[in-house]
Amino acid sequence: MNIRTSERIELVDITQEVKSEIHKSGIDNGICVVSTSHTTTAIILNENETGLRHDILDFLEKLIPPLAGYQHDRIDNNADAHLKAIILGSSETIPVTGGELVLGTWQRIFFVELDGPRQRTVNIAKIKKVQS
Ligand code: ZN
């Protein structure tokens, strides 16, 4: 799945797209692995509430500020984005039961852009449970 991000640091709710992929796959029971192959992006599960979205981005900027004397900035100016990506992680695994993603009432799947805006790719692997 391709995503065009529009900010340097941004949360993109991809829950509906992942749900559609699961429905199209016809998998009844199994797992879904949502991952990103980029080194300056992440995948997280959390609530899509406007205030919280700002809090998450503010928290990341405070925890790992841009251009704070990192060695990688000598060649690329985006060390903070790599460090944020490490903290958040590059994938999430979500169970699939009865043909639906098993998510809590408030849980959403976010693609996290940390060095945008850019054209990005999200990988969605659908694994069917083997009957035993
Ligand atoms: Zn870099």
Side-chain angles (χ1 to χ4, degrees), residues 24-47:
K24 271 191 277 176
S25 76
I27 289 177
D28 196 35
N29 294 296
I31 56 171
C32 174
V33 181
V34 181
S35 66
T36 171
S37 305
H38 308 288
T39 56
T40 54
T41 64
I43 304 292
I44 62 169
L45 301 180
N46 220 289
E47 185 175 342

Side-chain angles (χ1 to χ4, degrees), residues 3-129:
I3 296 179
R4 175 76 215 172
T5 59
S6 53
E7 306 288 340
R8 176 160 200 266
I9 177 167
E10 178 184 6
L11 294 169
V12 182
D13 189 331
I14 58 170
T15 313
Q16 206 49 56
E17 288 84 351
V18 179
K19 281 183 178 177
S20 298
E21 290 274 327
I22 291 298
H23 295 157
K24 271 191 277 176
S25 76
I27 289 177
D28 196 35
N29 294 296
I31 56 171
C32 174
V33 181
V34 181
S35 66
T36 171
S37 305
H38 308 288
T39 56
T40 54
T41 64
I43 304 292
I44 62 169
L45 301 180
N46 220 289
E47 185 175 342
N48 189 352
E49 189 277 320
T50 309
L52 182 62
R53 292 168 67 110
H54 286 288
D55 292 336
I56 292 167
L57 299 180
D58 287 350
F59 169 70
L60 288 170
E61 293 289 59
K62 278 182 198 146
L63 190 67
I64 306 169
L67 307 173
Y70 311 108
Q71 296 201 25
H72 182 63
D73 287 342
R74 289 177 308 181
I75 60 157
D76 210 9
N77 271 341
N78 68 354
D80 67 301
H82 290 280
L83 298 173
K84 286 165 182 153
I86 290 167
I87 295 291
L88 297 176
S90 63
S91 70
E92 289 288 350
T93 304
I94 304 148
V96 177
T97 301
E100 298 293 340
L101 290 174
V102 182
L103 289 170
T105 306
W106 305 110
Q107 269 185 323
R108 306 289 291 179
I109 306 161
F110 289 101
F111 174 83
V112 189
E113 174 61 81
L114 298 163
D115 189 31
R118 291 198 209 199
Q119 187 70 36
R120 300 294 203 173
T121 304
V122 178
N123 318 302
I124 304 169
K126 295 140 281 194
I127 300 124
K128 188 176 178 175
K129 183 181 177 184

